[in-house]
Amino acid sequence: MIIGKGSAPGKVILMGEHSVVYGKPAIALPFFGVSCDVHLKSIEGPIRIMSSRYEGLLDEIPEDFEGIKNLIYYTLNYLKKEKSGLLFVIHSTIPISRGLGSSAAVSVALVRAIFDAYNMELDSELLSELVFVAESIHHSNPSGLDAITIINENFIVFQKDKPYEILRPQLKGFLVISDSNQIGNTKESVRNVKKNLKNDPSKYMDIVDELGKLAIKSISTIRNDDVTSLGAEMNKAHALLKDLGVSNAKLDKLVSVALKNGAIGAKLTGGGNGGCIIALTDSMVDAKMVSDALIEEGVSHNWIYNLKEVW
């Protein structure tokens, strides 16, 4: 018998990858085309997990999922509930290591399912605090951007050590989100950028500064619901991310294909060196043309996202 349910969408970073690590703003939005759903069932005995990646006792979960174990125990301790008699059934359509917020979405859905099972109130602030437990293990030093975006389900402006801001635009456009079928490694990309900054601080800090200025400009563009200008800013951002060393030949090719087939802007999203690209169009007709071209190019997954879904 299901006693609790929780769900969460994915997320997409629109602007500000990597420069956000150095105190610049980033813009992100939820992605409802993929999601994680958790059903919590009552069973006899110790806590168990059932998912496509692991099935068995929570205490025997592989090290890669240590954050999930800590989060479940921490949340049950917070609620002063028994740490037994539960089965967590996790179903996620969010691709792993593609920059779409998989780990944060799983964490948010897990906490929501636990609170639902015990009919407990759960506000956004408490949810963020609990999810941070798992994210700290998954990402060592998480910014919190993924969780905040997924929890609030709106456009988010995020900047280190500052309160986040919720944008409520009415952008009339479409994002084509395409999976390169290459696993991204955000930690490695961040380390490489840090290394580049150490070796040539003048060159690479200029790039980081330019990415920050673009993100600030895009905030105004989004407030003005100016899809055309946003596309141009995305193109500039991808060129800068390429210069920063976080793109690769496959991502550059996909961006080029998107622009040649109707996109007004395209760029990598997330950590880079794999993962996904996003392409912006001002009509569904163009979005389908871009999508078809990217499918011919061999992307593994493709989604068309009407930005009205975030209004």
Side-chain angles (χ1 to χ4, degrees):
M1 181 179 71
I2 296 173
I3 60 172
K5 295 181 181 180
S7 63
K11 76 92 181 58
V12 171
I13 295 179
L14 192 62
M15 298 288 284
E17 291 91 345
H18 290 284
S19 56
V20 71
V21 175
Y22 299 94
K24 314 299 181 183
I27 307 167
L29 65 155
F31 175 34
F32 302 110
V34 291
S35 64
C36 176
D37 297 290
V38 174
H39 288 174
L40 187 50
K41 299 182 178 183
S42 178
I43 60 170
E44 295 291 328
I47 297 175
R48 300 184 67 86
I49 298 288
M50 183 182 294
S51 74
S52 62
R53 302 188 70 200
Y54 172 74
E55 185 172 341
L57 295 174
L58 180 60
D59 281 338
E60 296 176 2
I61 201 166
E63 189 176 344
D64 287 351
F65 308 105
E66 192 74 14
I68 289 176
K69 182 172 79 173
N70 282 28
L71 176 63
I72 290 172
Y73 282 145
Y74 188 90
T75 304
L76 291 172
N77 278 333
Y78 177 86
L79 293 174
K80 297 180 172 60
K81 300 299 180 182
E82 291 291 327
K83 293 184 284 295
S84 63
L86 300 172
L87 168 64
F88 290 85
V89 181
I90 303 170
H91 175 70
S92 178
T93 59
I94 308 173
I96 305 296
S97 300
R98 299 296 204 278
L100 298 181
S102 174
S103 66
V106 171
S107 297
V108 170
L110 280 169
V111 174
R112 283 175 171 165
I114 294 170
F115 272 72
D116 183 52
Y118 296 108
N119 296 310
M120 302 294 289
E121 292 286 334
L122 178 63
D123 61 29
S124 296
E125 184 176 350
L126 175 56
L127 179 53
S128 295
E129 290 175 8
L130 293 171
V131 167
F132 189 76
V133 172
E135 288 293 276
S136 296
I137 294 172
H138 290 141
H139 298 297
S140 298
N141 185 26
S143 66
L145 173 61
D146 285 16
I148 288 167
T149 304
I150 288 167
I151 290 167
N152 283 281
E153 296 190 0
N154 220 310
F155 275 82
I156 295 291
V157 177
F158 181 90
Q159 195 166 2
K160 264 186 171 182
D161 303 320
K162 291 186 179 182
Y164 65 86
E165 178 186 357
I166 297 178
L167 296 176
R168 301 191 185 280
Q170 294 190 347
L171 281 171
K172 297 178 180 67
F174 299 82
L175 275 184
V176 180
I177 302 168
S178 292
D179 184 352
S180 70
N181 204 28
Q182 294 178 328
I183 292 175
N185 189 323
T186 300
K187 286 183 182 179
E188 184 178 333
S189 292
V190 169
R191 280 196 298 267
N192 288 340
V193 171
K194 186 176 181 180
K195 182 180 177 181
N196 288 340
L197 280 165
K198 184 179 179 180
N199 292 337
D200 193 344
S202 177
K203 173 184 175 181
Y204 288 99
M205 189 50 74
D206 283 349
I207 297 172
V208 168
D209 288 340
E210 285 302 312
L211 283 166
K213 290 175 185 176
L214 262 180
I216 292 170
K217 189 176 181 181
S218 294
I219 294 168
S220 296
T221 299
I222 291 168
R223 285 198 177 108
N224 292 328
D225 302 323
D226 186 349
V227 175
T228 301
S229 294
L230 181 60
E233 289 153 12
M234 288 171 62
N235 292 334
K236 291 176 183 177
H238 184 77
L240 288 167
L241 290 165
K242 184 178 178 180
D243 290 342
L244 198 60
V246 297
S247 189
N248 63 22
K250 180 68 177 288
L251 296 178
D252 292 342
K253 178 64 174 177
L254 295 179
V255 165
S256 176
V257 168
L259 292 173
K260 288 176 181 176
N261 288 275
I264 54 179
K267 61 183 283 292
L268 66 84
T269 182
N273 291 316
C276 295
I277 70 147
I278 53 175
L280 182 66
T281 72
D282 56 10
S283 72
M284 176 60 84
V285 171
D286 286 343
K288 287 180 178 177
M289 285 175 57
V290 171
S291 177
D292 289 345
L294 289 168
I295 288 170
E296 286 185 17
E297 197 60 35
V299 299
S300 60
H301 290 89
N302 226 20
W303 303 267
I304 296 177
Y305 187 19
N306 188 339
L307 292 176
K308 284 186 177 181
E309 292 183 41
V310 200
W311 289 13

